[in-house]
Amino acid sequence: MTTRLQNNGQSETKTKLVEAGIRLMRAKGYNATTVDDICGAAGMTKGAFFHYFKSKEDIARSAIESFRDGKSEEFQNAPFRKLEDPLARLHGRVDFVKASVGGPERLTKGCLVGVMAQEVSLTHPELRGLCQQAFARISEEVTRDLALAKDAYAPQTDFDPASVARFYVSIFQGSSMMAKASDTNTVLMDNMEHFRRYLNFLFAPANPASAK
Amino acid sequence: MTTRLQNNGQSETKTKLVEAGIRLMRAKGYNATTVDDICGAAGMTKGAFFHYFKSKEDIARSAIESFRDGKSEEFQNAPFRKLEDPLARLHGRVDFVKASVGGPERLTKGCLVGVMAQEVSLTHPELRGLCQQAFARISEEVTRDLALAKDAYAPQTDFDPASVARFYVSIFQGSSMMAKASDTNTVLMDNMEHFRRYLNFLFAPANPASAK
DNA sequence: ACGCACATACATACCAGTCGGTATGACAAC
DNA sequence: GTTGTCATACCGACTGGTATGTATGTGCGT
């Protein structure tokens, strides 16, 4: 309980290591990121690393959790969360995501969870579970707003809020991937608008028809 | 030009190596797949491997190209391609994708291009380019049908066929990722239905409004 | 003096890529 | 039709470097 422990009970060194791990794994993925890389980027030595983490998989675990909680908090504190209308909150979220990526040039760093999910799902079951959980958390947040908005504006329209929320997460993840491959953020921004339009359709006063 | 060369001018050994490479990289990604793995899975030795490929990156290149061309051909020969109406072809594509993944239980093996894009975009520029190109090819195919369908059914609706096509690719990729993380195909199948519904909205006779 | 936080050197394993070698078949010379 | 030459296809031990993880040490706060 001395100076080495800060706010949340984590040592500063450990925090720096996790942050470096997140940064590197977001860019290069899990396997291409070495422990030495992480130590170098964090300005620490291997001794420190293995003092806090029992393995590389262990820091990946911490990285996913920290990333998930950080993003979760970021969105929880975002201005759009203060909006009272649930549909407005959904639009606010879309705006927030678009604003977060900045412009078309400045590349998104991508989502750590997305990268990890593809790479380790079949080799590290525990990490796969964490990724799934991280996706679920976002999904649930969006589901809540969707359910409220549906009750308020489109109670008779036939759609499942949870399914639309997973659709949203998929769109975001797929867009991040395309952005990384195409070296521009335009796809991500465009796709957020497509999702917005989908919402507009779902919540249109006189909803034309359900799927096919 | 003897018996060792088959149909397309590729030796059978090389083909087997590439196929094993695709299989493994789809599952574990590029970095976690070792040359020995590939040789083992293909029933070949390192000697054969390095006879045909000058490096691991080299087979990754071949794998992406082969995967891209294989999928391209698979879709080109799919029954829905025979449909005359472009909008029907779009719906046919959605059906075809859903049918391809089988049921909710049987896991998709995921898209090689998607896995590679996340993992190597920032470290192997040439592979990134190949991934981008592979995405672009699907995207262009879908764009053609969307443009024709728009001309035929919704000429005054405000949407860009190319952008909607990229939206489709993103949805598919994001869905594959979620499927891998959640160990079920339901997300992928649900999301195809959401895309179908988006199409229905875009092509609805009396289109309500453009985005926001 | 004891444990925590970190540093350094080391052990071990593994992986991409190499290298010398062999088997096979095509073609030519005679 | 046998022998010699050459190229292609393939084999598998080996190497050099690098990765994860360990063993041991050291300073410091209490």
Side-chain angles (χ1 to χ4, degrees), chain A:
Chain A
M1 304 305 137
T2 66
T3 54
R4 75 178 181 277
L5 293 184
Q6 60 178 20
N7 38 18
N8 52 355
Q10 270 214 52
S11 89
E12 199 176 344
T13 300
K14 185 171 183 178
T15 304
K16 276 201 285 187
L17 284 166
V18 170
E19 274 166 9
I22 291 174
R23 226 178 313 130
L24 290 168
M25 289 185 188
R26 260 175 114 170
K28 307 193 294 179
Y30 175 74
N31 289 297
T33 300
T34 72
V35 172
D36 285 323
D37 277 349
I38 299 173
C39 295
M44 295 291 153
T45 62
K46 281 251 273 277
F49 183 96
F50 283 100
H51 177 69
Y52 288 106
F53 305 100
K54 68 179 216 290
S55 67
K56 186 179 158 184
E57 182 175 348
D58 194 27
I59 199 182
R61 194 180 148 88
S62 290
I64 295 173
E65 286 169 351
S66 167
F67 185 80
R68 175 200 63 191
D69 294 346
K71 285 289 165 192
S72 203
E73 201 191 325
E74 184 184 337
F75 276 76
Q76 217 60 44
N77 298 333
F80 77 83
R81 276 277 109 196
K82 299 285 185 297
L83 298 171
E84 290 203 359
D85 183 80
L87 187 52
R89 277 206 297 279
L90 288 165
H91 281 283
R93 174 182 295 268
V94 171
D95 293 328
F96 184 71
V97 169
K98 283 186 70 178
S100 300
V101 304
E105 346 43 65
R106 216 198 64 198
L107 250 288
T108 341
K109 283 160 289 175
C111 175
L112 176 69
V113 184
V115 179
M116 298 284 283
Q118 294 263 30
E119 212 178 333
V120 303
S121 278
L122 302 186
T123 49
H124 300 67
E126 196 184 334
L127 295 180
R128 185 194 66 78
L130 272 176
C131 292
Q132 184 182 9
Q133 189 196 91
F135 286 147
R137 185 184 293 194
I138 312 169
S139 194
E140 281 156 18
E141 242 178 72
V142 177
T143 300
R144 274 192 286 278
D145 283 343
L146 277 165
L148 290 170
K150 178 166 150 64
D151 282 351
Y153 298 109
Q156 80 292 9
T157 307
D158 173 34
F159 71 87
D160 173 19
S163 176
V164 175
R166 283 189 294 268
F167 185 50
Y168 164 78
V169 175
S170 301
I171 290 169
F172 178 78
Q173 292 296 333
S175 303
S176 299
M177 180 199 291
M178 297 272 291
K180 213 168 176 182
S182 64
D183 216 6
T184 164
N185 278 338
T186 43
V187 201
L188 178 45
M189 304 186 73
D190 285 0
N191 286 351
M192 282 296 115
E193 283 308 318
H194 284 297
F195 179 70
R196 186 204 299 287
R197 190 190 275 212
Y198 187 52
L199 283 183
N200 284 337
F201 284 140
L202 286 179
F203 289 102
N207 194 278
S210 56
K212 195 174 192 179

Side-chain angles (χ1 to χ4, degrees), chain B residues 110-123:
Chain B
C111 175
L112 175 70
V113 184
V115 180
M116 299 284 283
Q118 295 263 31
E119 212 177 335
V120 303
S121 278
L122 301 186
T123 49

